[in-house]
Amino acid sequence: MEQEGFGPGKRRRRCCFIVSVLAVLLLIVILALALGLSMREETNELEPIFLSRCKQLKEYDCQQAWELFQQAYVNRDPCNVSMEAYDPFITATAIRPQCNRMMFWSKTKYVVHEFTEKKNCFQTLEDTVLGSVLDGLTWCGKEGSFETFSSGCPAWMDCANNPVRSFWNRASAAFADVACGNVTAMLNGSIATPFDSSSIFASIEVKNFKSSKVKNLDIVLITQKNFVTNCTNQSLQTLKTQLPEGIIYNCKEVPETQIKQCSGDSEKACGACW
Ligand code: DVN
């Protein structure tokens, strides 16, 4: 009968047990550190990006702009940040409109930006200081914290008054408010309602056009082979009725291939693209 106490077999088992416990504890510590690090990194990565993009533009006091920007959402419920919360920031970074070159869009983000980046004849909101500093980023705060978070934030559709959506709504209103001269808008001819009443273009921008500043609204309806809509589309007739009185409405169907070809042809002036 094996002697009570610690025979070699029992000692080995006990030793293996202790080593396994230590290994599990070490793993837990490593995971906790990694999580802590990642959380920390995700709580302060927006400010350096904001400041470096802003400083490249050499137009504003970027530190002041950052302070005003984060006041809109820091220490607030991320589903309770109104458009108006960004008013101080919007005022401090007033948009400098390029009359006759301003481009609006809806459901055509990639075609528009491929075109405006290659042809450099139009100014979209994303080309302004306001838009270029924040384009593609996400951010939010939370009650009881003075941190800016760049993850764990409400998605676009999670709640209407989230920090990112309210910012783009407010910035869009500001962009439309200063629109002037001949204004262009690229809409999507491959969908049944190119002028969607719930879109930012319809619900905010068209409503903020001023007939004292905007002369024309020229719609460029981007079409593909499987034409779905054209300029007689009902939603576009609605657009016409919603335009502030005095603004002349034009609409032209332009194949996406034509836009893309023109984008790539540096010899061709923008006006010849449609
Ligand atoms: O005139 C433009 C421009 O000035 C902009 O400020 O507003 C107008 C475009 O907004 P829109 O009319 O609502 O057009 P879209 O294409 O429906 O939406 C524009 C953008 O809002 C989308 O490109 C999304 O941005 P993202 O994340 O792809 O860079 C965003 N968006 C709209 N609906 C969304 C959404 N993002 C996520 N989920 C959704 N349901």
Side-chain angles (χ1 to χ4, degrees):
M1 190 170 88
E2 200 169 309
Q3 193 185 2
E4 279 304 307
F6 295 104
K10 273 210 169 178
R11 256 204 307 280
R12 209 173 15 265
R13 278 199 301 281
R14 186 181 174 81
C15 176
C16 291
F17 175 73
I18 291 168
V19 167
S20 341
V21 169
L22 287 175
V24 169
L25 285 174
L26 184 62
L27 188 62
I28 290 169
V29 167
I30 291 167
L31 285 172
L33 277 174
L35 183 64
L37 257 179
S38 69
M39 285 300 284
R40 193 168 59 77
E41 280 163 18
E42 286 159 359
T43 58
N44 61 13
E45 69 181 13
L46 189 79
E47 184 175 0
I49 298 172
F50 180 105
L51 292 174
S52 76
R53 287 185 180 184
C54 174
K55 284 173 183 161
Q56 280 169 21
L57 302 163
K58 301 184 175 59
E59 292 211 23
Y60 301 101
D61 171 342
C62 293
Q63 196 53 50
Q64 185 215 19
W66 168 252
E67 297 308 326
L68 292 171
F69 175 74
Q70 59 164 352
Q71 280 168 19
Y73 60 85
V74 157
N75 191 22
R76 285 191 185 184
D77 170 354
C79 276
N80 188 21
V81 175
S82 66
M83 286 172 60
E84 293 70 25
Y86 288 99
D87 284 354
F89 172 68
I90 296 286
T91 305
T93 54
I95 293 172
R96 292 176 173 75
Q98 296 176 23
C99 293
N100 300 314
R101 290 165 50 104
M102 295 174 81
M103 171 77 79
F104 295 78
W105 51 274
S106 192
K107 322 286 186 216
T108 53
K109 179 169 193 170
Y110 299 106
V111 176
V112 166
H113 288 114
E114 183 185 4
F115 180 71
T116 55
E117 275 151 26
K118 286 190 177 168
K119 297 302 275 187
N120 193 23
C121 305
F122 288 96
Q123 175 193 36
T124 63
L125 171 61
E126 295 73 25
D127 300 320
T128 65
V129 171
L130 214 49
S132 60
V133 168
L134 278 312
D135 199 20
L137 302 178
T138 188
W139 62 89
C140 64
K142 69 178 178 185
E143 287 175 305
S145 163
F146 285 92
E147 292 279 2
T148 289
F149 299 93
S150 47
S151 72
C153 297
W156 188 272
M157 296 303 280
D158 284 352
C159 47
N161 282 341
N162 68 66
V164 175
R165 191 165 167 182
S166 289
F167 167 77
W168 286 111
N169 287 341
R170 184 63 188 83
S172 301
F175 190 54
D177 190 49
V178 297
C180 45
N182 291 338
V183 168
T184 306
M186 270 193 186
L187 302 183
N188 191 331
S190 299
I191 55 178
T193 50
F195 184 65
D196 173 349
S197 59
S198 66
S199 69
I200 297 175
F201 179 61
S203 62
I204 294 178
E205 293 176 324
V206 167
K207 292 182 168 30
N208 274 283
F209 287 151
K210 302 293 179 292
S211 53
S212 56
K213 291 187 275 187
V214 176
K215 192 161 146 278
N216 290 9
L217 173 63
D218 300 326
I219 300 299
V220 174
L221 191 65
I222 309 287
T223 58
Q224 308 206 352
K225 287 195 190 70
N226 60 332
F227 258 56
V228 173
T229 58
N230 59 38
C231 285
T232 63
N233 175 271
Q234 183 50 49
S235 73
L236 294 174
Q237 305 318 307
T238 306
L239 164 52
K240 265 199 278 193
T241 64
Q242 291 184 1
L243 261 185
E245 203 174 327
I247 296 177
I248 298 163
Y249 170 90
N250 302 299
C251 178
K252 189 169 187 180
E253 292 124 19
V254 182
E256 184 174 344
T257 48
Q258 182 179 325
I259 297 280
K260 287 187 180 262
Q261 271 157 10
C262 211
S263 297
D265 181 349
S266 54
E267 298 300 310
K268 230 174 187 178
C270 288
C273 287
W274 49 77

